Amino acid sequence: MAAAAASLHATAAVSKSRSAAIPQVATSVRVAAASRGPGSARARGGLVVARAAAVKDEAADTNSGGHEVLMFEALREAMIEEMTLDPTVCMIGEDVGDYGGSYKVSKGLSEMFGDLRVLDTPIAENSFTGMGVGAAMKGLRPVVEGMNMGFLLLAYNQISNNCGMLHYTSGGQFKIPIVIRGPGGVGRQLGAEHSQRLESYFQSIPGLQMVACSTPYNAKGLLKAAIRSENPVVVFEHVLLYNMKEKIPDEDYICCLEEAEMVRPGSQVTILTYSRMRYHVMQAVKTLVNKGYDPEVIDIRSLKPFDLHTIGNSVKKTHRVLIVEECMRTGGIGASLRSAIIDNFWDELDAPPMCLSSQDVPTPYAAPLEDATVVQPPQIVAAIEEICR
Amino acid sequence: MAAASFTAAKFLAPVAGRSGGDRPAPFLPAPSSARPLRRTRPAQRLLAVSSDVLAGNKAAPAAAAQPAVTREEALELYEDMVLGRNFEDMCAQMYYRGKMFGFVHLYNGQEAVSTGFIKLLNQPDCVVSTYRDHVHALSKGVPARSVMAELFGKATGCCRGQGGSMHMFSEPHNVLGGFAFIGEGIPVATGAAFAAKYRHEVLKQSSPDGLDVTLAFFGDGTANNGQFFECLNMAQLWKLPIVFVVENNLWAIGMSHIRATSDPEIWKKGPAFGMPGVHVDGMDVLKVREVAKEAIDRARRGEGPTLVECETYRFRGHSLADPDELRRPDEKSHYAARDPIMSLKKYIIEQSLASEAELKSIEKRIDDVVEEAVDFADASPLPPRSQLLENVFADPKGFGIGPDGKYRCEDPKFTQGTAQV
């Protein structure tokens, strides 16, 4: 089914000749849509707001050519473009400089920009994240990399107390335009501590915005938007997705931080997912389509705040919801999302919203146990059959 | 009980890594020595203001020919310390009258550290403090009325009433907080110093004064915290323009420094990371100022950080809720006799820098300033309900898109109801 929804990527949203000044406009920018889906666009003071989420516009894509990248290369492109455009953008993390980043996201960047802009830190997550906060308060735009998201547990004090809170407790005097990014999620037998999902731990922090990328297109777009945003944004990447390949536009584009992405429009049941589970869902969808189901798949992308408009429109259409996530069951993103759906769309539901999450266990090392920890496609198929009964 | 009292500044530089010339091996004093230590530079020996004068040090009159400060400087220092003391005393009054709430930590007795350091700074220099931050904010130039209004929780406070006693921020004065958890301000200070170096080297924004300096103030308890050590390492590694100022008042609430620390001499931890560690009598504003001058100049020239341990004392309890039963009366009276304001007053009069009457008029003026601050705070309004959701995000689109498709923050009723994100 062709993606008919509006696209959000701009053909010329950002001029490359922009000066070094930090953009005045707040950067969760709704850029002009290259094409519009039916009934979707609503003009607001000059900026066109697309109702549905960012999907690559196929027509514009073939026109401009585009180029194929792996996800880590897309992130790297985003870093290079933003660091070139704005000299206050810098990178802080372990092994981001000489080593090029443990997942090669910053490969070659310290040769390009120097080792003060691409700062190799000692192993002190709490302190270098706090350093990023202090630098952000004084006008820089740091991108702090956690070598693995799990390591940022050590930085929790700074992320919660300072990133999240300082704009508020200072009465709005200081802004913290910091981006915290890194790979998380369950990998291939990496062991419990390298297989953590921190989305649920950070989601309650007031003042923090969270996005999760899943494709090279949205990875580049979201990282660029996060860097330009005045808010502290945590960008969740996934260890197993760095080698995903996709063709992305040549021209500059960003994705809206607060919007969800329509992956597959449908009519029967809404599946909400993010990050790696999107691929498990799409694999299950193949089976489901063969069995005659018509699921609508939305990649929520914005973990905090939720895009209740896109989600709500979908629920109003299908009346059934399944959430598939990699977070733990207890207190995960799915738990909050289910709650938000019940609060806002109770009357639309024909069945209780179901949530498939990881087990509440430290990820075991053994392969069959690890597979059983996360949600697998057969479970998704079974859940849809259950909901649609 | 307390560590041996040092009567003059001790300067210990790391043995390796100093450029040029032979240096004598670092001089460590005999354990219970109380004799003044000669500094390694043949600079003017700073006249002791407090203990030596009181003990009738014979060397004092000879060195008294040249006062260490000019009259203007002395009066500026005096006024700043009196402001700090009077303001804090007024805070105690207001707290017991029910105008101020929560945890309030007063700075009485430590004024020499704040004044001695912060009065040397320029506007672009930054100050980062802990919860005992009222006087740091005042010394940096935040108006007393803004601080008092913030303490009363009014909308005219420097943080719009959203911060409170432990979170004093001021962007125009570069006061970067005000942190409740000890140690968590030190990385923020390190980041501000990193930004100063970045501005100079990457953005090529240079000032004729040199790099903008950041001062990180924290206590003896913090000197056992991981963030302290991590930041000492990073600051020295990258030669950041920062001075780490330890206000060692010997007590972390009820935990004595000696009971909490394996090696109580905090200044020694500087050379362990390759930076100079200095111990100074923190009850003597002139000594503090002399050490501060050197540390700040080092930072400005790009030579990197310094660790300064100021031996000081808080005359009141840890906070207004602390009954302060653990500290012995003889310790308290020992330090009360070294009151920095009394000492400076005595010095000013003995050096004929100003008359008693002039000092009294300064005190009177400060009384008026503090009274006016209280009146202003009293008259100010409390923040309205609609302020609740403002400033959570710098870009309020972070509150997301509501079910109706509009950004929540664009809804006129947004700040009235419950915070729904």
Side-chain angles (χ1 to χ4, degrees):
Chain A
M1 199 191 254
S7 80
L8 276 186
H9 78 265
T11 44
V14 177
S15 145
K16 288 248 172 12
S17 62
R18 188 178 72 177
S19 71
I22 297 171
Q24 296 306 310
V25 176
T27 56
S28 291
V29 172
R30 309 289 209 108
V31 297
S35 74
R36 295 178 196 139
S40 59
R42 215 181 317 153
R44 180 176 310 135
L47 273 183
V48 174
V49 175
R51 174 190 57 86
V55 181
K56 267 198 294 100
D57 184 27
E58 307 293 355
D61 201 24
T62 21
N63 286 349
S64 57
H67 56 287
E68 219 170 38
V69 287
L70 304 177
M71 165 106 82
F72 76 88
E73 290 168 346
L75 291 164
R76 186 170 167 270
E77 277 183 21
M79 287 303 314
I80 292 176
E81 286 173 21
E82 291 305 301
M83 288 178 78
T84 307
L85 272 175
D86 185 348
T88 63
V89 178
C90 56
M91 222 175 151
I92 298 176
E94 294 159 8
D95 275 333
V96 296
D98 288 359
Y99 196 75
S102 51
Y103 291 92
K104 298 291 167 253
V105 170
S106 54
K107 185 165 161 144
L109 260 60
S110 71
E111 282 86 7
M112 287 174 69
F113 298 108
D115 57 13
L116 201 61
R117 285 190 78 184
V118 185
L119 188 73
D120 271 328
T121 62
I123 306 175
E125 279 79 6
N126 197 25
S127 293
F128 71 68
T129 305
M131 210 174 90
V133 172
M137 288 166 82
K138 287 306 292 174
L140 300 188
R141 302 183 88 88
V143 177
V144 174
E145 172 174 307
M147 190 185 267
N148 184 286
M149 267 293 178
F151 301 171
L152 293 179
L153 286 173
L154 289 150
Y156 204 97
N157 180 12
Q158 292 293 335
I159 294 174
S160 172
N161 280 343
N162 289 348
C163 284
M165 290 194 193
L166 284 189
H167 185 69
Y168 192 79
T169 50
S170 68
Q173 293 183 80
F174 290 100
K175 55 183 175 67
I176 324 272
I178 194 176
V179 174
I180 297 174
R181 50 160 292 271
V186 174
R188 298 246 181 274
Q189 297 188 263
L190 300 179
E193 290 179 6
H194 283 80
S195 311
Q196 299 192 70
R197 287 79 77 200
L198 259 46
E199 305 87 81
S200 56
Y201 300 2
F202 290 151
Q203 70 173 321
S204 306
I205 298 174
L208 208 62
Q209 206 168 341
M210 308 197 314
V211 291
C213 59
S214 49
T215 66
Y217 178 82
N218 63 36
K220 180 175 177 186
L222 288 173
L223 183 56
K224 285 170 70 105
I227 291 173
R228 296 183 194 179
S229 171
E230 304 298 314
N231 297 334
V233 182
V234 184
V235 178
F236 290 93
E237 303 154 12
H238 197 285
V239 275
L240 293 182
L241 295 183
Y242 279 124
N243 290 326
M244 280 284 143
K245 196 184 281 201
E246 190 182 17
K247 201 168 187 197
I248 63 172
D250 289 327
E251 62 274 355
D252 203 10
Y253 71 94
I254 63 173
C255 293
C256 179
L257 285 176
E258 296 88 19
E259 284 205 341
E261 179 179 331
M262 179 69 67
V263 182
R264 179 191 189 277
S267 61
Q268 196 174 12
V269 57
T270 299
I271 306 181
L272 302 172
T273 184
Y274 65 91
S275 192
R276 181 186 168 219
M277 288 295 116
R278 166 183 173 144
Y279 295 93
H280 281 205
V281 165
M282 292 312 287
Q283 207 176 325
V285 160
K286 283 194 206 135
T287 313
L288 288 165
V289 165
N290 286 341
K291 290 191 177 189
Y293 292 94
D294 184 27
E296 176 155 290
V297 180
I298 294 179
D299 181 342
I300 61 173
R301 275 194 346 205
S302 175
L303 302 183
K304 183 175 178 189
F306 295 131
D307 179 1
L308 287 179
H309 183 61
T310 306
I311 294 170
N313 284 340
S314 179
V315 173
K316 286 176 195 163
K317 187 165 53 162
T318 66
H319 310 293
R320 288 161 206 279
V321 181
L322 171 68
I323 301 167
V324 180
E325 57 159 359
E326 201 172 321
C327 246
M328 283 74 72
R329 181 150 206 80
T330 304
I333 298 288
S336 302
L337 188 51
R338 198 161 28 174
S339 193
I341 291 172
I342 290 173
D343 278 346
N344 288 286
F345 309 118
W346 174 258
D347 290 329
E348 307 289 341
L349 293 169
D350 284 347
M354 256 186 93
C355 182
L356 294 177
S357 332
S358 297
Q359 301 298 313
D360 280 336
V361 296
T363 311
Y365 167 72
L369 296 182
E370 184 183 69
D371 287 341
T373 310
V374 298
V375 179
Q376 299 293 345
Q379 291 166 282
I380 302 172
V381 173
I384 295 291
E385 288 175 340
E386 171 75 27
I387 291 182
C388 293
R389 209 152 34 89
Chain B
M1 199 202 64
S5 62
F6 303 93
T7 53
K10 258 205 323 283
F11 187 87
L12 186 78
V15 177
R18 293 280 296 209
S19 59
D22 289 328
R23 296 203 58 87
F27 174 72
L28 296 175
S32 53
S33 158
R35 70 181 190 280
L37 300 161
R38 192 177 305 281
R39 281 169 307 181
T40 51
R41 287 179 302 124
Q44 175 196 16
R45 185 201 285 262
L46 182 64
L47 177 68
V49 172
S50 54
S51 312
D52 289 340
V53 169
L54 296 175
N57 184 350
K58 295 265 187 333
Q66 289 268 4
V69 281
T70 65
R71 176 191 141 85
E72 286 71 33
E73 287 169 347
L75 292 180
E76 185 194 12
L77 298 177
Y78 187 76
E79 179 167 343
D80 193 56
M81 290 205 288
V82 170
L83 173 63
R85 177 68 59 86
N86 285 17
F87 188 92
E88 298 292 72
D89 283 339
M90 183 60 79
C91 282
Q93 262 196 59
M94 292 296 116
Y95 189 85
Y96 294 126
R97 282 200 209 164
K99 304 263 183 86
M100 214 179 275
F101 313 93
F103 291 129
V104 179
H105 309 82
L106 298 181
Y107 201 74
N108 298 49
Q110 301 183 195
E111 294 87 1
V113 179
S114 178
T115 301
F117 268 93
I118 299 182
K119 281 318 191 190
L120 291 170
L121 296 181
N122 304 323
Q123 188 274 339
D125 299 319
C126 299
V127 167
V128 173
S129 179
T130 58
Y131 43 73
R132 205 178 298 280
D133 56 351
H134 310 166
V135 178
H136 295 132
L138 292 172
S139 292
K140 193 62 169 60
V142 182
R145 42 166 42 195
S146 296
V147 182
M148 191 61 82
E150 182 63 30
L151 291 167
F152 280 28
K154 301 293 177 84
T156 49
C158 52
C159 301
R160 307 179 79 201
Q162 289 169 193
S165 166
M166 299 185 280
H167 304 282
M168 290 293 166
F169 289 82
S170 171
E171 201 268 326
H173 301 99
N174 280 308
V175 176
L176 267 58
F179 292 91
F181 285 23
I182 57 126
E184 73 178 352
I186 305 179
V188 173
T190 310
F194 174 78
K197 184 177 166 108
Y198 190 99
R199 277 196 296 279
H200 176 76
E201 292 191 13
V202 176
L203 303 178
K204 310 284 188 231
Q205 293 165 5
S206 295
S207 122
D209 292 330
L211 297 171
D212 294 332
V213 174
T214 304
L215 300 184
F217 291 93
F218 49 93
D220 44 285
T222 308
N224 293 326
N225 186 274
Q227 287 165 110
F228 169 63
F229 298 110
E230 289 173 355
C231 291
L232 285 184
N233 179 44
M234 292 197 291
Q236 176 61 21
L237 189 61
W238 299 315
K239 295 250 187 310
L240 300 181
I242 184 173
V243 183
F244 296 99
V245 184
V246 185
E247 293 169 322
N248 183 356
N249 57 22
L250 304 175
W251 291 88
I253 310 186
M255 191 63 172
S256 128
H257 177 57
I258 310 301
R259 287 185 67 219
T261 316
S262 52
D263 184 351
E265 294 183 287
I266 302 175
W267 57 270
K268 281 200 214 156
K269 296 176 185 177
F273 287 88
M275 73 178 79
V278 192
H279 180 281
V280 67
D281 176 2
M283 304 306 278
D284 180 338
V285 68
L286 298 179
K287 288 185 189 153
V288 171
R289 188 180 156 93
E290 162 122 356
V291 167
K293 250 190 233 173
E294 178 163 348
I296 291 173
D297 285 344
R298 264 180 54 86
R300 276 205 212 291
R301 290 192 299 266
E303 290 172 22
T306 312
L307 177 64
V308 180
E309 177 186 356
C310 304
E311 179 195 344
T312 182
Y313 202 75
R314 51 168 164 83
F315 293 158
R316 290 181 178 267
H318 163 73
S319 73
L320 289 173
D322 175 18
D324 194 16
E325 289 159 347
L326 286 176
R327 303 192 301 175
R328 286 170 23 199
D330 58 343
E331 180 187 275
K332 291 190 199 179
S333 56
H334 169 77
Y335 284 98
R338 291 164 61 183
D339 184 330
I341 297 179
M342 259 173 35
S343 309
L344 183 63
K345 185 169 189 171
K346 189 164 182 158
Y347 180 83
I348 288 176
I349 293 182
E350 281 172 1
Q351 297 292 316
S352 306
L353 292 171
S355 67
E356 179 97 32
E358 284 176 290
L359 296 181
K360 278 259 177 315
S361 82
I362 291 180
E363 288 161 25
K364 172 80 182 52
R365 191 168 68 242
I366 294 298
D367 276 339
D368 291 340
V369 166
V370 175
E371 287 281 347
E372 195 271 326
V374 173
D375 292 338
F376 172 77
D378 261 334
S380 297
L382 284 167
R385 177 78 193 269
S386 57
Q387 198 182 301
L388 178 66
L389 297 182
E390 294 173 12
N391 306 135
V392 177
F393 289 103
D395 178 3
K397 296 206 194 85
F399 280 105
I401 302 165
D404 58 359
K406 296 198 297 196
Y407 277 116
R408 280 214 173 83
C409 57
E410 287 164 2
D411 179 356
K413 289 240 176 71
F414 164 68
T415 50
Q416 299 302 330
T418 332
Q420 277 211 57
V421 182

